[in-house]
């Protein structure tokens, strides 16, 4: 499903060049659940951006569902991104004056310019917020806001969810709720790719990739995964 080989990414800032990724190769099958870990500057965010089609590699190959994406134009990348990938971020990125339901519907507006209210309502029910659909973000807890963000990520039926530090701003109770929800999505066949600094969060995944200096140091299965309570 995802196959990258010898991927590099170099940023040029004046006379200075920074190699953020160096010869990274990786395969991810549909239904996998991967946690990417590493210190700041290790390349994990760059890898996430490349996997999410938010950036393009300097060299190497990236195949997504059999399609080589490295040479696609920006419009084609955007269309493929909307069809296949949902994003969840640490900061939620909800519109503050907009209801939960309207926030969930935003990707529909960007992709089809039409809103399917029944779909957004269903997704809010699925994440346990059916009775909060008319609430604005400041009327919701951090955990509830992140569940709205997850529902928004799912509204276009993506095959992959990329979650960048999705529990970073949450208390321990909300943290467990969000990881339980991601595990449920994974059990239904959705591919989850997660960036985290926390070992206890990474242990919910099936594999942990550890990065440093733009390279993958290890890619190991988790034998004793944390299971949702």
């Amino acid at each position: 499903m995802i196959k990258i080989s010898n991927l590099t990414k170099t940023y040029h800032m004046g006379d200075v060049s920074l190699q953020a990724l160096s010869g990274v190769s990786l395969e991810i099958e549909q239904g996998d659940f991967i946690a990417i870990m590493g210190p700041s500057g290790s390349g994990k965010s760059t890898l996430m951006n490349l996997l999410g089609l938010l950036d393009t590699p300097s060299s190497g190959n990236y195949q997504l569902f059999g399609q080589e994406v490295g040479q696609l134009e920006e419009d084609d990348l955007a269309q493929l991104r909307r069809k296949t990938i949902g994003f969840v971020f640490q900061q939620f990125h909800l519109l503050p004056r907009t209801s939960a339901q309207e926030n969930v519907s935003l990707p529909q507006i960007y992709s089809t310019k039409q809103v399917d209210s029944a779909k957004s309502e269903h997704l809010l029910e699925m994440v346990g917020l059916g009775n909060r659909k008319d609430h604005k973000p400041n009327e919701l807890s951090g955990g509830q806001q992140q569940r709205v963000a997850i529902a928004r990520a799912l509204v276009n039926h993506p095959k992959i969810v990329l979650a960048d530090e999705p529990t970073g701003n949450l208390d321990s109770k909300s943290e467990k709720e969000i990881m339980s929800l991601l595990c449920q999505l994974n059990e239904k066949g959705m591919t989850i790719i997660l960036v985290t600094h926390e070992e206890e969060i990474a242990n919910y995944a099936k594999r942990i990739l550890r990065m440093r200096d733009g390279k993958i140091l290890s890619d190991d299965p988790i034998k004793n995964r944390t299971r949702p309570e």
Side-chain angles (χ1 to χ4, degrees), residues 66-80:
Q67 182 175 10
E68 177 59 51
V69 303
Q71 304 302 319
L72 292 179
E73 299 293 334
E74 181 54 42
D75 287 348
D76 296 323
L77 283 172
Q79 184 176 11
L80 183 59

Side-chain angles (χ1 to χ4, degrees), residues 59-207:
S59 64
N61 301 103
Y62 176 13
Q63 291 186 6
L64 180 61
F65 299 105
Q67 182 175 10
E68 177 59 51
V69 303
Q71 304 302 319
L72 292 179
E73 299 293 334
E74 181 54 42
D75 287 348
D76 296 323
L77 283 172
Q79 184 176 11
L80 183 59
R81 186 167 57 238
R82 285 194 298 265
K83 284 183 177 180
T84 58
I85 302 171
F87 295 90
V88 180
F89 303 99
Q90 180 177 355
Q91 301 295 338
F92 316 141
H93 295 303
L94 302 178
L95 296 184
R97 299 181 182 178
T98 304
S99 71
Q101 182 175 343
E102 290 167 329
N103 268 288
V104 171
S105 297
L106 281 175
Q108 295 179 320
I109 297 173
Y110 298 144
S111 60
T112 67
K113 296 182 171 57
Q114 295 180 336
V115 172
D116 184 345
S117 297
K119 183 184 294 185
S120 55
E121 285 185 31
H122 169 72
L123 287 169
L124 284 170
E125 289 280 357
M126 189 189 78
V127 301
L129 292 176
N131 62 342
R132 300 294 181 97
K133 66 179 183 178
D134 296 321
H135 287 58
K136 293 180 173 60
N138 65 354
E139 300 170 322
L140 301 171
S141 69
Q144 289 170 335
Q145 290 184 61
Q146 192 62 293
R147 280 188 270 165
V148 172
I150 291 173
R152 180 185 59 194
L154 300 176
V155 75
N156 282 336
H157 301 292
K159 296 179 181 179
I160 305 166
V161 167
L162 299 183
D164 190 358
E165 299 280 0
T167 63
N169 285 333
L170 303 180
D171 58 52
S172 58
K173 179 177 181 294
S174 298
E175 188 177 88
K176 291 178 181 178
E177 291 173 350
I178 295 304
M179 292 313 300
S180 177
L181 181 54
L182 291 176
C183 286
Q184 290 172 32
L185 293 172
N186 180 245
E187 288 168 2
K188 294 177 181 178
M190 187 165 291
T191 302
I192 309 291
I193 303 173
L194 168 80
V195 166
T196 183
H197 284 95
E198 303 174 71
E199 289 283 346
E200 59 266 34
I201 296 300
N203 281 330
Y204 283 91
K206 296 175 181 176
R207 294 162 59 187

